[in-house]
Amino acid sequence: MEYNREQLSGKIIVKVVDEGQWRSDLKAFSYSLFLSPEWVNSVSSNLIRPVFLNFLIDDATVAKLSGVLVYSGKIKGKQIYCYASPALKTQDEALYNSIHTALLKFAKKEGIARIVMGSYDQQHNMECNAPGFFKTRRFEYVVNLKGDKELHFSKGFKKNVKKALNAGAKVLSSNSPVVLGKLFELLENTRQVRFQKYGTDYNPFYLQYWNKESILHLVKSKLGVLHYVVDENDEIHCVVLNIEQDERIYGLLMGSDDFTYQNGISSMVDSFFIEKFSKEGFQYYNPGGGTGDDGNAGIEKYKRSMGAEKIELSGSTTNFLIYPQKFLNPLLNLGRKLPATDKGVIGFLKRFI
């Protein structure tokens, strides 16, 4: 049966379910890896609780969404944060927008002050046009591992791969505590190098509510997989953290030392992933994305050098939905008009709101 948008909004029921029930039919939907229970649980804590939602029409589940309920104190209230938008079975814009409308009504009823939805690993390019939502745009770079066209690598990329192999580097895999500890050690060096190269500070824990503890949980759940690079003396110079599930790979973090930068190791690692996962029948390798803010030009150039395609994605946010938090909405509206930067007073204001 087909419904128009007005009929859909009234028919959709939002139901909170437990993790097991939510997971049971997940593979029937085109879902982001960042909606998986393992990811949501990894960022949870006492004040950040996982939430799993099914959207029903006539007792049939038509969409799924997971995220975290965040208790942000009296000023910001209780908010729901999702790392990607709802997962549907097919691209249906009328249904997609109606789900957002139903979610908005649900949030108000439950005393949720605000909704924020990202677009990490989002499996569609639909935009939310439901009243009360504001679009947020960002990009990701995806290497299609099952495409008909042969992947094109730049000369510089291939040169770096050869350089790394000549240096005796090789890629291994292990989720051991030793490798995990080395990742944390190398992240600080990566931060310093990126600052010197791109002129902007680099926060390795760039995802909302993500920290060292989250990585520990992610690796323990086996959704997170560690790969590392050693030289001829078995010294570790680089550690990479991926999400690997359902024939999909999403690159989360890479920690590197000077040997890595001097010998083109990052290109060798990406080449290794592309070859390895192509042979294993994976769909794509997503080495991450950006917002188009300061410092992304060099990163984008590199990701294109490995044959990645730039994809525009759209998330959405609301203003505050209930009082007294609604008094902060003028600040939110101002923040949307400010330049795209994390620096100075503007950066402070954006972080606050």
Side-chain angles (χ1 to χ4, degrees), residues 203-347:
N203 176 17
F205 306 110
Y206 55 93
L207 291 159
Q208 192 80 333
Y209 310 118
W210 203 36
N211 52 39
K212 284 187 177 182
E213 195 69 24
S214 305
I215 293 177
L216 293 172
H217 289 308
L218 195 68
V219 170
K220 186 176 181 180
S221 75
K222 297 183 180 179
L223 178 66
V225 181
L226 295 171
H227 304 272
Y228 62 102
V229 177
V230 297
D231 61 17
E232 294 174 333
N233 298 315
D234 290 330
E235 181 180 351
I236 297 176
H237 294 283
C238 173
V239 181
V240 179
L241 173 63
N242 290 340
I243 291 178
E244 298 176 15
Q245 183 172 275
D246 291 343
E247 299 182 347
R248 294 181 277 163
I249 311 100
Y250 194 103
L252 284 173
L253 280 177
M254 175 182 283
S256 307
D257 64 8
D258 293 342
F259 178 88
T260 296
Y261 289 102
Q262 292 165 4
N263 290 282
I265 301 297
S266 59
S267 296
M268 187 200 73
V269 170
D270 287 322
S271 176
F272 171 84
F273 288 156
I274 291 169
E275 181 178 356
K276 168 183 167 64
F277 292 116
S278 292
K279 290 179 179 178
E280 294 179 5
F282 278 62
Q283 299 175 40
Y284 61 78
Y285 168 44
N286 185 332
T291 60
D293 292 354
D294 302 337
N296 277 270
I299 296 172
E300 177 176 338
K301 181 180 179 181
Y302 170 73
K303 290 177 180 178
R304 285 187 178 278
S305 76
M306 71 175 80
E309 178 186 357
K310 185 177 182 179
I311 298 175
E312 183 173 350
L313 300 170
S314 178
S316 59
T317 68
T318 66
N319 276 345
F320 287 105
L321 305 173
I322 58 176
Y323 286 104
Q325 286 79 24
K326 287 180 77 171
F327 289 118
L328 293 173
N329 284 342
L331 282 177
L332 288 179
N333 292 327
L334 174 62
R336 294 186 182 98
K337 298 176 182 178
L338 294 174
T341 180
D342 292 327
K343 298 178 180 179
V345 176
I346 293 176

Side-chain angles (χ1 to χ4, degrees), residues 45-95:
S45 65
N46 289 337
L47 297 177
I48 302 175
R49 308 301 296 273
V51 60
F52 302 97
L53 303 175
N54 281 346
F55 296 80
L56 309 173
I57 296 179
D58 298 333
D59 295 326
T61 302
V62 296
K64 305 177 83 69
L65 181 66
S66 70
V68 288
L69 273 176
V70 183
Y71 298 87
S72 303
K74 293 182 179 180
I75 295 179
K76 294 184 180 180
K78 182 170 62 175
Q79 303 185 33
I80 184 168
Y81 185 92
C82 306
Y83 292 86
S85 296
L88 280 65
K89 293 182 178 179
T90 59
Q91 292 211 70
D92 184 329
E93 291 188 359
L95 177 60

Side-chain angles (χ1 to χ4, degrees), residues 1-244:
M1 181 180 293
E2 294 185 357
Y3 304 98
N4 61 37
R5 183 166 169 174
E6 287 72 22
Q7 289 175 315
L8 277 171
S9 297
K11 280 189 159 291
I12 295 174
I13 296 173
V14 183
K15 186 177 181 181
V16 179
V17 297
D18 62 37
E19 178 184 326
Q21 183 179 350
W22 192 86
R23 186 196 292 271
S24 63
D25 59 347
L26 180 59
K27 290 189 177 182
F29 295 81
S30 296
Y31 74 98
S32 159
L33 293 172
F34 291 86
L35 294 182
S36 65
E38 292 88 350
W39 173 264
V40 173
N41 288 330
S42 76
V43 298
S44 300
S45 65
N46 289 337
L47 297 177
I48 302 175
R49 308 301 296 273
V51 60
F52 302 97
L53 303 175
N54 281 346
F55 296 80
L56 309 173
I57 296 179
D58 298 333
D59 295 326
T61 302
V62 296
K64 305 177 83 69
L65 181 66
S66 70
V68 288
L69 273 176
V70 183
Y71 298 87
S72 303
K74 293 182 179 180
I75 295 179
K76 294 184 180 180
K78 182 170 62 175
Q79 303 185 33
I80 184 168
Y81 185 92
C82 306
Y83 292 86
S85 296
L88 280 65
K89 293 182 178 179
T90 59
Q91 292 211 70
D92 184 329
E93 291 188 359
L95 177 60
Y96 186 65
N97 285 304
S98 297
I99 286 167
H100 282 76
T101 298
L103 179 63
L104 192 73
K105 293 178 181 177
F106 168 82
K108 290 179 179 179
K109 181 181 177 182
E110 296 296 321
I112 295 171
R114 192 179 180 214
I115 302 167
V116 179
M117 285 186 282
S119 56
Y120 296 98
D121 191 52
Q122 199 142 281
Q123 299 297 294
H124 60 78
N125 57 5
M126 291 185 289
E127 294 186 345
C128 173
N129 294 305
F133 284 88
F134 299 86
K135 300 171 190 175
T136 56
R137 290 185 173 87
R138 52 184 294 280
F139 302 94
E140 289 187 342
Y141 304 86
V142 178
V143 181
N144 185 355
L145 302 180
K146 286 192 172 182
D148 297 329
K149 297 180 180 179
E150 185 177 351
L151 291 174
H152 173 74
F153 304 125
S154 72
K155 290 182 179 179
F157 182 83
K158 290 187 284 188
K159 182 179 179 181
N160 281 333
V161 173
K162 185 177 180 180
K163 185 177 182 180
L165 293 173
N166 289 337
K170 61 181 178 180
V171 183
L172 302 172
S173 302
S174 172
N175 277 13
S176 73
V178 172
V179 176
L180 185 58
K182 191 66 176 180
L183 170 65
F184 294 136
E185 178 185 324
L186 291 170
L187 285 175
E188 175 58 23
N189 186 72
T190 300
R191 187 193 68 79
Q192 293 178 13
V193 170
R194 286 201 179 189
F195 181 79
Q196 294 171 2
K197 190 171 184 179
Y198 301 118
T200 56
D201 203 5
Y202 166 69
N203 176 17
F205 306 110
Y206 55 93
L207 291 159
Q208 192 80 333
Y209 310 118
W210 203 36
N211 52 39
K212 284 187 177 182
E213 195 69 24
S214 305
I215 293 177
L216 293 172
H217 289 308
L218 195 68
V219 170
K220 186 176 181 180
S221 75
K222 297 183 180 179
L223 178 66
V225 181
L226 295 171
H227 304 272
Y228 62 102
V229 177
V230 297
D231 61 17
E232 294 174 333
N233 298 315
D234 290 330
E235 181 180 351
I236 297 176
H237 294 283
C238 173
V239 181
V240 179
L241 173 63
N242 290 340
I243 291 178
E244 298 176 15

